[in-house]
Structures are given as C-alpha cells and as structure tokens.
C-alpha cells in the first residue's frame, strides 16, 4: 500500500498548484533527506490527474539519483519513467542534455511537459551569458517551452557565487527567493529527519619532527588548527595519517555498535578522499573485523553495489564521489567525513545522507570529523538552512564558457591509483623547499598523543 504524502509535501504541492495558475516556474528548497523526490512525483500525479500535462521529464546530477527518480515516480504514478514506449516520461542526467537530438527537444513543442530539475544548484546562470553548460541548456531549450518546471534543492547555493538557473533573486539585495522552504528544524520537529550530532575530533599534543640534511627540529602543537596554521602539514596529510584515521573509525564503529542495538541493520558511511584512501580505509575496517563495501567512480556496476548494500546487513560503505547527494540509503545513520573537499555545499550534502529517518527510534544522526577550522565553522552553521552569506548572488563579470562537473565534487578524487594527484600518503612525508636553488629534501613526521578530545555539537 502506497504511503500518504507527508504534511510538508502536501502543503508544498497545494502551494505549487496555486502558483502554477499564474507562473510556470516553482522553486522548492527542502532540507536533504526530507523527501523532495516523493513530493515531485505526487505533484506530477496531480498535474496528470488534472489534465494539465502530457509528459514528465526529470533531470538530476548523477545516474544514482536518476535511478531513484525512476523508481519513486513509477511507484507514485503507476507508470514507468524510463523513456520507452508506454512510459509517462523519462529521467536522465544533466550531462545527457548536451547529447539529446532534435527529436527530444521537439517534445517540448508537441506536448505539455512537466520538467523537474533535482539539485538545481548544479546548473548556474539566470542569464545565458553567465551560465555553465547545463544551465545554458535549461535556459535556452526548456525554460520557455515547458508547461511547468519544478526546481529542487536541499542546498540552494553554489561555491562560485553564481546565480542558479530557474531561480529568482531579490533586487537589489540579490537574495534567493524560494517559493516553498522546508528547513532542517521543521523536518526534525515533524519526525521527518534525524537530529544531527556532529563530533569534532582534536588532539591536545601533536608532535612534528622535521629532518633536514644536517639538522632536525621538534615542535609541539596543542590542536589540529594550530598545527595546520603554523606548520607545513596539510589537512589532507592528516586524513591519510594512520593514527587520526584509526581514531575516527574507532569512534564511528563504537557509535554504530550503539545504534545497532536499537536498529540492527543501521549502517555507516565513510567518505574518503580518493581511491587509494578508500582502500586504506577498507584495510583499517578489515583489521577491525568490520563488514564493508567500497564504491568509487571506478567500481564496476557501482549502482548495483550501492543497491545491494542498501538492502543488506553490511555495516559500512566506503565511498569516493558516489554518495555525496541524492543517494537514498535510509539505514545510513553514522558517517565519518574523511574527504579533502571543504566546501559547505559538499559537507551539508554528505550530512544529508544520514538524516533520512525510517522510524520512531532512529531520531539521531552522527557525523565524525577532524576539528579542521573550516569544517568546524560549517558544523556550527548547520542549523542555518539558508545562510545569508551563501544564498546571495554577487555581481560578477561575464565568465569564460564553463564546462560542467558535479558542483562540489573534487575531480582529483576520481583519479586512478598511480595517476597524478593520487599518490598514497604515509606518516613520513617529503617537503621540497620553495627556494629557487632547491635546497635538499626535508622529511617530517607527525605523531598524535593519546590526549584526544571530542567536541559534540548537537544542532537541535
């Protein structure tokens, strides 16, 4: 039996239907994990039932999210969304828009099309000149030809401060105007999303030994922030460090044990930096006797691996560039954030993977992260669904034409082992002098003391 829409979904649908009587474009911001796809499917069902549309075309940033759209829409509409004969429409990636033939674009002239755009922040530009390739396709080929459009986003801003396609902004402030907003606070109060618990891991005595050709120095630092600020050590170095990795995984495993006492099939997500790092994490989990799956951009049949994990009892999934947004695995309840990507967009999207609630007892989500200053700041801002300093479009000059990549994804994180940007890190690292005559190589070693400390941020 099909479940009824949630209260927020029904409310959004009624507002959208009323909105469509005067304008064809509707923008919905709902916190990650709230059920935007289901709301979109229910809205499509209502429009079809009212005889206002003929076809539904959905676009999303990844194949994983597209598969989720096809499944959810088929369940709600009772009709396929696979683009084959007899289907009510199709779902495809934004990237595929550039490869559609003229017959596809004629659908917008021959039929009344309801166009749905998931995670619309990937498509920049409210002006074709200031757009990326995906935004340009929407503005030039669909904006004025679709019967209705629905733009969805859990994090409606971009790291480059550009406007979002199909979005409206206030004048002169440049603030994003949402036709409907459903925030994290409301979602937690309604029992739709879990309440996030973010644990920042720090160390009170970090030892750095740096060896030169004829000399060596030893320095001590009272925090990760001070180490990163006053030494050559990078945040990425710490992510690969066995001690830091071990401590974070220990915390995550212990919390997952506690969660599974109430919810036996609960699972954890580790977001790794690149493929080598993912295998390092996998070895660490294996040494603990943990069950796990590894999925990266190079994993054969990655979607099938994710689907098997979704319906299994496996404890952990280690991911690189695959489960940052949109992927629906409700049993994920614990996450270790070990990605080198430090944008607020990506960080919030990852947190969203553990927020989707399944029942009455799974009311908390846990995120474990190193106390790096930028990530600490992001963590303290989670309660603010639409930060004032992010949901603003700055005045910019016309950029060069921008190819499209997944907004917030680190392309180096998808490199194969042995490729540039993917060399393994070990506790001992090499640092070349920046002087012109290239001084001899120095090496440095980081040691973590046993004096770890944790800061718990309970958002609500």
């Amino acid at each position: 039996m099909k479940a009824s829409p949630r209260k927020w979904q029904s409310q959004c649908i009624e507002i959208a239907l009323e909105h469509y009587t005067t304008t064809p474009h509707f923008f919905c911001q709902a916190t990650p994990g709230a059920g935007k796809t289901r709301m979109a499917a229910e809205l499509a069902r209502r429009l079809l039932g009212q005889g206002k549309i003929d076809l539904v075309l959905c676009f999303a940033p990844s194949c994983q999210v597209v598969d989720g759209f096809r499944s959810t829409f088929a369940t709600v509409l009772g009709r396929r969304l696979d683009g084959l004969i007899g289907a009510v429409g199709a779902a495809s990636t934004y990237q595929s828009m550039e490869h559609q033939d003229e017959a596809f674009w004629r659908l917008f002239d021959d039929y009344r099309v309801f166009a749905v755009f998931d995670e619309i922040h990937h498509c920049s530009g409210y002006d074709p000149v200031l757009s990326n390739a995906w935004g340009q396709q929407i503005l030039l080929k669909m904006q004025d030809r679709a019967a209705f459009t629905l733009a969805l986003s859990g994090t409606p801003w971009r790291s480059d401060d550009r406007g979002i396609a199909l979005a409206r902004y206030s004048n002169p402030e440049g603030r994003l105007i949402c036709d409907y907003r459903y925030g994290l606070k409301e979602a937690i109060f309604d029992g739709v999303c879990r309440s996030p618990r973010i644990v920042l891991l720090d160390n009170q005595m970090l030892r750095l030994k740096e060896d030169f050709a004829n000399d060596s120095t030893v320095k001590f630092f009272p925090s990760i922030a001070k180490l990163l600020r006053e030494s050559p050590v990078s945040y990425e170095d710490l992510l690969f460090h066995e001690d830091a990795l071990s401590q974070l995984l220990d915390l995550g495993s212990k919390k997952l044990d506690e969660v599974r006492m109430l919810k036996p099939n609960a699972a954890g997500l580790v977001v790794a930096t690149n493929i080598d790092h993912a295998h390092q994490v996998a070895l660490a989990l294996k040494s603990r006797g943990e069950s796990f799956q590894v999925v990266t951009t190079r994993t054969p049949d990655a979607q099938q691996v994710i689907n098997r994990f979704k319906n299994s009892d496996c404890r952990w999934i280690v991911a690189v560039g695959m489960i940052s947004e949109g992927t629906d695995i409700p049993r994920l309840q614990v996450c270790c954030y070990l990605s080198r990507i430090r944008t607020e967009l990506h960080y919030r999207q990852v947190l969203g993977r553990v927020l989707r609630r399944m029942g009455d007892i799974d009311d908390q989500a846990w995120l474990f992260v190193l106390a790096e200053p930028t990530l600490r700041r992001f963590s303290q801002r989670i309660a603010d669904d639409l930060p004032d300093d992010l949901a603003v479009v700055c005045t910019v000059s016309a950029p060069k034409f921008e190819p499209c990549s997944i907004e917030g994804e680190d392309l180096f994180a998808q490199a194969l082992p042995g490729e540039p940007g993917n060399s393994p890190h070990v506790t001992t690292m090499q640092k070349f002098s920046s002087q012109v005559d290239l001084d001899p190589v120095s090496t440095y070693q980081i040691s973590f003391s046993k004096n770890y400390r944790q800061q718990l941020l309970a958002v609500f």
Side-chain angles (χ1 to χ4, degrees):
M1 183 177 177
K2 188 176 63 170
S4 300
R6 293 167 175 154
K7 181 180 177 181
W8 85 263
Q9 293 168 332
S10 297
Q11 185 181 54
C12 181
I13 289 167
E14 295 302 327
I15 292 174
L17 291 173
E18 176 64 26
H19 185 88
Y20 285 150
T21 61
T22 57
T23 180
H25 306 301
F26 190 81
F27 194 108
C28 170
Q29 183 253 327
T31 191
K36 292 185 290 295
T37 307
R38 175 64 189 276
M39 185 280 293
E42 291 285 353
L43 179 54
R45 184 181 67 81
R46 293 283 297 275
L47 290 170
L48 285 165
Q50 293 176 3
K52 294 183 177 179
I53 59 172
D54 305 308
L55 292 176
V56 180
L57 296 178
C58 299
F59 302 88
S62 69
C63 294
Q64 291 75 32
V65 181
V66 166
D67 286 344
F69 261 76
R70 287 173 180 159
S71 175
T72 299
F73 272 67
T75 298
V76 172
L77 300 179
R79 298 175 64 183
R80 291 179 286 106
L81 197 73
D82 55 13
L84 302 176
I85 294 175
V88 70
S92 55
T93 63
Y94 287 123
Q95 188 173 3
S96 72
M97 294 190 302
E98 301 173 71
H99 308 289
Q100 299 288 358
D101 58 21
E102 196 53 42
F104 175 84
W105 297 116
R106 276 202 304 272
L107 294 173
F108 287 87
D109 299 323
D110 298 339
Y111 299 92
R112 294 169 299 171
V113 174
F114 178 41
V116 180
F117 304 95
D118 190 44
E119 305 300 352
I120 187 66
H121 53 264
H122 290 294
C123 307
S124 73
Y126 48 88
D127 180 302
V129 178
L130 299 174
S131 304
N132 63 10
W134 296 350
Q136 201 168 65
Q137 294 287 327
I138 293 172
L139 296 182
L140 295 179
K141 296 182 178 179
M142 289 181 274
Q143 178 176 243
D144 297 327
R145 297 164 74 186
F148 305 103
T149 71
L150 173 63
L152 302 169
S153 179
T155 49
W157 64 82
R158 291 179 55 84
S159 300
D160 59 11
D161 293 332
R162 292 190 195 175
I164 299 171
L166 296 179
R168 304 191 311 282
Y169 295 87
S170 64
N171 187 16
E173 301 86 4
R175 297 195 180 280
L176 177 68
I177 299 171
C178 295
D179 298 308
Y180 186 87
R181 285 185 59 188
Y182 186 65
L184 179 58
K185 186 175 182 179
E186 291 83 4
I188 293 171
F189 180 80
D190 292 343
V192 171
C193 287
R194 299 171 183 139
S195 177
R197 300 288 189 271
I198 301 175
V199 178
L200 296 160
L201 180 67
D202 210 338
N203 193 279
Q204 294 176 243
M205 188 177 293
L206 291 144
R207 179 179 183 270
L208 176 66
K209 181 182 179 183
E210 190 167 9
D211 295 318
F212 300 92
N214 301 310
D215 192 16
S216 64
T217 61
V218 176
K219 295 180 181 178
F220 293 91
F221 300 88
S223 67
I224 287 175
K226 200 164 182 66
L227 173 74
L228 296 177
R229 187 169 61 248
E230 300 178 7
S231 82
V233 176
S234 70
Y235 169 64
E236 190 173 345
D237 292 333
L238 300 183
L239 294 177
F240 281 85
H241 196 287
E242 294 289 350
D243 289 352
L245 178 62
S246 178
Q247 188 71 14
L248 269 175
L249 292 179
D250 283 347
L251 289 173
S253 295
K254 182 179 178 182
K255 180 55 62 177
L256 186 57
D257 286 340
E258 295 175 10
V259 171
R260 283 173 74 101
M261 291 179 69
L262 294 174
K263 187 179 162 198
N265 74 330
L269 164 67
V270 181
V271 182
T273 282
N274 58 26
I275 293 173
D276 281 344
H277 192 221
H279 292 312
Q280 182 186 1
V281 171
L283 288 174
L285 290 173
K286 184 177 181 180
S287 70
R288 289 164 171 74
E290 295 274 6
S291 58
F292 62 88
Q293 288 279 358
V294 177
V295 59
T296 74
T297 52
R298 305 300 184 187
T299 301
D301 300 319
Q303 185 56 49
Q304 285 70 30
V305 173
I306 293 172
N307 289 338
R308 285 196 299 269
F309 176 83
K310 179 178 179 178
N311 300 307
S312 74
D313 190 47
C314 185
R315 284 171 60 95
W316 290 94
I317 186 164
V318 183
V320 180
M322 297 298 292
I323 309 182
S324 61
E325 66 179 347
T327 305
D328 180 16
I329 309 177
R331 70 188 190 94
L332 289 177
Q333 201 165 344
V334 176
C335 177
C336 294
Y337 190 86
L338 295 168
S339 171
R340 67 175 162 197
I341 302 174
R342 284 170 290 168
T343 67
E344 191 161 359
L345 180 68
H346 186 261
Y347 188 63
R348 287 180 181 242
Q349 287 287 353
V350 169
L351 176 63
R353 297 316 97 215
V354 295
L355 291 181
R356 191 181 301 274
R357 191 165 173 175
M358 294 182 68
D360 294 333
I361 59 174
D362 63 333
D363 61 340
Q364 294 181 357
W366 291 85
L367 179 70
F368 296 90
V369 61
L370 292 180
E372 188 274 337
T374 303
L375 297 179
R376 179 190 292 275
R377 188 174 76 253
F378 294 164
S379 301
Q380 293 168 335
R381 288 157 53 102
I382 291 297
D384 189 359
D385 279 288
L386 203 57
D388 287 341
D389 55 328
L390 291 179
V392 175
V393 177
C394 301
T395 303
V396 293
S397 57
K400 295 179 181 179
F401 185 75
E402 175 193 328
C404 283
S405 61
I406 299 297
E407 167 72 9
E409 290 289 347
D410 187 335
L411 298 183
F412 287 113
Q414 303 177 10
L416 284 169
E419 290 183 335
N422 204 31
S423 57
H425 285 57
V426 291
T427 304
T428 301
M429 288 148 283
Q430 292 187 332
K431 170 177 172 288
F432 289 90
S433 169
S434 60
Q435 294 183 18
V436 177
D437 60 355
L438 290 179
D439 287 346
V441 173
S442 67
T443 62
Y444 53 93
Q445 296 178 310
I446 312 165
S447 301
F448 284 72
S449 73
K450 294 182 179 180
N451 299 317
Y452 284 96
R453 63 172 178 266
Q454 302 172 39
Q455 179 185 0
L456 173 63
L457 299 177
V459 177
F460 299 111

